[in-house]
Amino acid sequence: AAGVIQSPRHLIKEKRETATLKCYPIPRHDTVYWYQQGPGQDPQFLISFYEKMQSDKGSIPDRFSAQQFSDYHSELNMSSLELGDSALYFCASSPGRVNTEAFFGQGTRLTVV
Amino acid sequence: AQKVTQAQTEISVVEKEDVTLDCVYETRDTTYYLFWYKQPPSGELVFLIRRNSFDEQNEISGRYSWNFQKSTSSFNFTITASQVVDSAVYFCALSAANRDDKIIFGKGTRLHILP
């Protein structure tokens, strides 16, 4: 069965650079969630989209932005990267607006040096 | 506010022993979902189970079983006859079921299965 696809799997950036993470949800899933997991931490909710509109926002820095496109894939754009942005970034998708079946992608490991 | 508490930060057991991971949650929602995820050293989040707040039946899947007790707001996870491959971080999580809500995770329990 198709799963949530994230790319790239690994990314190394320098401080102050920009990074773009991509998420391709499970087919027919119209809701996408982004989470950030720092080392030794639990995943923290960043932002979510339903039908291409932002539906909820968590502790996402102003330097980050995201959107969901017409094909339901989503991109997380991170600018002016800081060392503290080094983390695992997960995308999850679910069918419909209620988070009944949240399946996570394999994550993108971002390292800022 | 929603909150998930996993009091056990780290547990070590010898292979073939049974082990129970505790999870206590807080929510004001009357309808909600509870989840367990496994995160092996490779880093991915593996979905294990989702339980609707209306369904208090315990569930067994192979060596895994879950005990949902609404009266004590607990959703504990037991691994029977543990194996080294069960070594991972296990997250208990919660989300509201009647609106577009994110998943709130506990801090996780790191489980070491010793050979």
Side-chain angles (χ1 to χ4, degrees):
Chain A
V4 178
I5 306 296
Q6 290 187 246
S7 69
R9 293 289 311 280
H10 302 273
L11 190 58
I12 299 176
K13 290 285 186 178
E14 294 188 355
K15 283 194 302 184
R16 292 180 288 278
E17 283 193 319
T18 297
T20 297
L21 309 185
K22 296 185 179 182
C23 169
Y24 297 87
I26 292 172
R28 292 180 295 281
H29 282 197
D30 49 17
T31 305
V32 166
Y33 305 81
W34 285 97
Y35 292 80
Q36 177 192 57
Q37 185 181 22
Q41 304 294 315
D42 54 296
Q44 294 289 317
F45 171 73
L46 291 177
I47 195 166
S48 62
F49 292 88
Y50 167 68
E51 281 293 342
K52 294 152 278 185
M53 299 284 289
Q54 181 183 308
S55 56
D56 197 3
K57 198 171 180 180
S59 48
I60 183 169
D62 292 341
R63 300 177 290 106
F64 293 8
S65 65
Q67 58 181 323
Q68 187 178 32
F69 294 86
S70 57
D71 64 350
Y72 295 103
H73 94 273
S74 178
E75 295 183 4
L76 177 66
N77 297 294
M78 311 158 68
S79 63
S80 303
L81 286 169
E82 302 173 357
L83 295 178
D85 296 329
S86 295
L88 257 177
Y89 289 84
F90 287 103
C91 172
S93 74
S94 68
R97 201 161 186 177
V98 179
N99 199 352
T100 58
E101 301 281 350
F103 293 93
F104 285 80
Q106 291 187 297
T108 294
R109 188 174 295 279
L110 171 67
T111 303
V112 181
V113 298
Chain B
Q2 295 178 318
K3 186 179 178 182
V4 177
T5 301
Q6 295 180 255
Q8 304 148 309
T9 305
E10 202 157 346
I11 300 175
S12 294
V13 300
V14 177
E15 196 173 19
K16 297 182 186 174
E17 288 186 350
D18 300 346
V19 58
T20 295
L21 309 183
D22 298 332
C23 173
V24 174
Y25 63 91
E26 297 174 30
T27 182
R28 292 180 182 171
D29 294 299
T30 55
T31 309
Y32 49 89
Y33 290 102
L34 294 164
F35 304 80
W36 275 96
Y37 289 88
K38 172 182 179 181
Q39 187 172 44
S42 51
E44 70 268 28
L45 282 169
V46 179
F47 170 83
L48 296 179
I49 189 171
R50 172 183 64 89
R51 174 63 69 216
N52 185 308
S53 55
F54 288 139
D55 181 3
E56 287 195 68
Q57 282 197 354
N58 292 329
E59 180 154 340
I60 297 175
S61 175
R63 296 184 296 106
Y64 295 170
S65 62
W66 291 269
N67 184 350
F68 176 29
Q69 300 226 344
K70 210 167 179 179
S71 59
T72 56
S73 297
S74 65
F75 186 44
N76 297 337
F77 171 33
T78 297
I79 301 175
T80 304
S82 60
Q83 299 176 2
V84 172
V85 293
D86 296 326
S87 297
V89 179
Y90 290 85
F91 290 99
C92 180
L94 166 73
S95 78
N98 56 0
R99 52 190 164 89
D100 52 336
D101 208 5
K102 63 274 186 185
I103 291 179
I104 303 296
F105 288 84
K107 295 297 182 186
T109 296
R110 184 174 296 276
L111 177 63
H112 301 278
I113 308 298
L114 308 172

